Amino acid sequence: MEESARELDTGSEAGGDDALVGNVSKLTVTPPGYTGAPRKGHLIFDACFESGNLGRVDYISEFEFDLFIRPDTCNPRFRVWFNFTVEHVRETQRVIFNIVNFSKTKSLYRDGMAPVVKSTSRPKWQRLPAKNVYYYRCPDHRRNYVMSFAFCFDREDDVYQFAYCYPYTYSRLQHYLTSLEQRNLDYLKREQLGLSVQQRRLDLLTITNPAHLNPEREKRVVFLTARVHPGESPASFICQGVIDFLVSQHPVAQVLRDHVVFKIVPMLNPDGVYLGNYRCSLMGFDLNRHWQDPSPWAHPTLHAVKQLIVQMNQDPKVSLEFYIDVHAHSTMMNGFMYGNVFEEEERVQRQAVFPRLLCQNAPDFSLSSTSFNRDVVKAGTGRRFLGGLLDDTSYCYTLEVSFYSYLAAGSTTPVPYTEDSYMKLGRNVARTFLDYYKLNNLIDDNKLSSHINSVDSVPPGRQGSNAGNGRNQNGEKSERRFQGVRDY
């Protein structure tokens, strides 16, 4: 989320949370003074796993627990992301969890957002019902904002996992990229662009017709990055949606590969993602404020990406036409974009073209929420820095998507995002380049007919404002649901 300093409220509890330097590890919480062996219903909390975050648990009663988010490593200012497990539960045990030390006051929890939950016997993430979630300023916690949610455990042998939003870990990305690599697609190249401070891979994907890889050939490039802010996991689902579509046999994808070189860095901050931070790297840096002068030792992933972009920009054979940095937003609905402000009116108008086309293709993208600014506190972001570095034929955007939901045109009922609908937005972003580059006439209708029954098969521009708006009608079996989710 490309937010400004004034949008953050670190709260009066920030100093008191400095002691929360690690996650709880198989912490058994028993009543005060209890000395016997733990009984069923004495909950065991754990966040010592990849992307986990829970710093402390206070027993309030057998029905209520105060939970403290562990601040980002080396930066106590940011406390938003949580991801933890609970086990050793008693069947039909009902509890209230209070997450008491959020660093932000504004939140989509005021608008119906709810945490997500899964368990060992039900591994698909589900959102809790909004009626079981409360967000309020609490006098018991120095009037800090608290998010409370009620839950009923229904299976004693299950391990339950709760998170701020659908997690997308570094390991998941590595598994996904390895599976792509094993397909031996001649139009997909995976490279290690660099390493993070903790020696995790910084991956770069190049997706294009291999003929474009000839250094003497002129090429137009679209560059996309995601997860510079590690807690913004929806960005990874969007990014995977883009990649899945571009490597597919869909006729639109084939045409795009023949005309455009896509460069994608799916995870700019792998250490922060692995550690369960919300906004910062291992060393406590908000990397999206250091584009102007990234350090090769303190911000190595950012430094490597900036070097590559500068090098491409200096290559006369390369036209770097788009830079899109994908984020998630904690206070707004829908998908939308931020762009830059220019003196030349013609450049301003040209910059607005891509968001307008995306709005036609994606029912969850909001043109009214899209804005163009030159806020001074955002000068170190990728969008702002590269907008000043690249020439006037290049367009730099931040693509934001809500952590919670979208409002379809003409509707007043929010539709909560799922992992699949985040990926669908990614597919629609990729397909919009067909419209932008006016390549629709190159689509082979005979080939298209073989894809007509696939999900989201209609290419942009073929069905007016509903183009790219296919519905999933594959009749999936209904998920076994949590008793606690369905009816507290």
Side-chain angles (χ1 to χ4, degrees), residues 135-186:
Y135 189 73
Y136 55 99
R137 195 185 282 272
C138 181
D140 294 336
H141 293 282
R142 309 182 200 176
R143 291 188 55 74
N144 206 31
Y145 276 85
V146 171
M147 188 270 292
S148 298
F149 64 94
F151 192 80
C152 180
F153 298 107
D154 58 348
R155 299 186 187 178
E156 290 194 352
D157 295 332
D158 268 16
V159 178
Y160 295 78
Q161 185 172 349
F162 301 90
Y164 181 83
C165 193
Y166 312 106
Y168 194 111
T169 63
Y170 170 78
S171 293
R172 174 171 177 169
L173 174 68
Q174 292 304 306
H175 179 78
Y176 169 66
L177 296 183
T178 299
S179 68
L180 279 181
E181 213 173 10
Q182 290 170 346
R183 291 167 61 183
N184 294 316
L185 304 169
D186 66 352

Side-chain angles (χ1 to χ4, degrees), residues 110-312:
R110 297 181 302 184
D111 303 308
M113 179 170 153
V116 295
V117 61
K118 70 174 185 176
S119 75
T120 41
S121 67
R122 288 149 297 188
K124 185 176 176 63
W125 288 101
Q126 301 172 31
R127 287 191 188 271
L128 273 66
K131 64 187 177 69
N132 291 358
V133 180
Y134 309 89
Y135 189 73
Y136 55 99
R137 195 185 282 272
C138 181
D140 294 336
H141 293 282
R142 309 182 200 176
R143 291 188 55 74
N144 206 31
Y145 276 85
V146 171
M147 188 270 292
S148 298
F149 64 94
F151 192 80
C152 180
F153 298 107
D154 58 348
R155 299 186 187 178
E156 290 194 352
D157 295 332
D158 268 16
V159 178
Y160 295 78
Q161 185 172 349
F162 301 90
Y164 181 83
C165 193
Y166 312 106
Y168 194 111
T169 63
Y170 170 78
S171 293
R172 174 171 177 169
L173 174 68
Q174 292 304 306
H175 179 78
Y176 169 66
L177 296 183
T178 299
S179 68
L180 279 181
E181 213 173 10
Q182 290 170 346
R183 291 167 61 183
N184 294 316
L185 304 169
D186 66 352
Y187 47 79
L188 170 69
K189 180 182 179 184
R190 178 190 184 190
E191 301 170 75
Q192 180 177 295
L193 188 57
L195 292 169
S196 68
V197 174
Q198 290 187 315
Q199 304 299 291
R200 294 188 178 88
R201 285 181 61 104
L202 175 68
D203 283 288
L204 170 68
L205 298 184
T206 302
I207 303 172
T208 192
N209 185 316
H212 289 300
L213 301 181
N214 182 339
E216 297 304 313
R217 180 165 177 169
E218 293 189 0
K219 49 189 77 72
R220 56 167 62 123
V221 174
V222 171
F223 206 110
L224 185 143
T225 58
R227 292 303 282 280
V228 68
H229 292 148
E232 297 175 10
S233 56
S236 282
F237 293 103
I238 290 176
C239 193
Q240 182 172 327
V242 170
I243 297 167
D244 281 343
F245 185 77
L246 290 176
V247 302
S248 74
Q249 292 305 306
H250 197 289
V252 173
Q254 294 181 47
V255 168
L256 287 173
R257 292 195 298 266
D258 286 342
H259 290 82
V260 183
V261 178
F262 292 91
K263 297 276 188 181
I264 300 174
V265 177
M267 195 169 281
L268 258 175
N269 189 350
D271 289 349
V273 171
Y274 187 90
L275 294 166
N277 288 350
Y278 175 66
R279 194 169 179 87
C280 294
S281 66
L282 164 75
M283 299 169 69
F285 294 110
D286 179 347
L287 295 182
N288 205 35
R289 294 297 183 269
H290 289 273
W291 275 90
Q292 289 169 318
D293 190 24
S295 158
W297 66 271
H299 325 112
T301 57
L302 200 62
H303 183 265
V305 172
K306 179 183 174 182
Q307 273 194 317
L308 174 62
I309 291 176
V310 169
Q311 175 188 333
M312 292 171 60

Side-chain angles (χ1 to χ4, degrees), residues 74-124:
C74 301
N75 195 325
R77 183 182 174 198
F78 299 105
R79 304 178 308 279
V80 177
W81 174 259
F82 59 86
N83 183 12
F84 61 92
T85 63
V86 180
E87 57 188 303
H88 205 241
V89 307
R90 192 177 65 249
E91 190 175 345
T92 72
Q93 182 176 1
R94 299 182 177 209
V95 296
I96 294 174
F97 290 144
N98 308 308
I99 297 183
V100 302
N101 66 331
F102 281 109
S103 59
K104 302 177 75 170
T105 55
K106 294 180 180 178
S107 174
L108 285 165
Y109 287 124
R110 297 181 302 184
D111 303 308
M113 179 170 153
V116 295
V117 61
K118 70 174 185 176
S119 75
T120 41
S121 67
R122 288 149 297 188
K124 185 176 176 63

Side-chain angles (χ1 to χ4, degrees), residues 358-377:
L358 180 55
C359 185
Q360 292 178 355
N361 294 333
D364 55 325
F365 186 84
S366 169
L367 198 60
S368 61
S369 295
T370 294
S371 64
F372 305 94
N373 65 69
R374 54 167 55 143
D375 191 333
V376 66
V377 301

Side-chain angles (χ1 to χ4, degrees), residues 470-485:
R471 305 299 183 193
N472 186 346
Q473 301 288 349
N474 57 1
E476 294 175 353
K477 292 181 180 178
S478 59
E479 284 290 322
R480 293 173 294 167
R481 295 189 65 82
F482 294 89
Q483 180 180 341
V485 169

Side-chain angles (χ1 to χ4, degrees), residues 1-2 228-229 232 235 288 325-329 398-401:
M1 177 180 172
E2 225 193 59
V228 68
H229 292 148
E232 297 175 10
N288 205 35
D325 190 25
V326 190
H327 289 250
H329 207 285
T398 300
L399 172 62
E400 298 271 6
V401 67

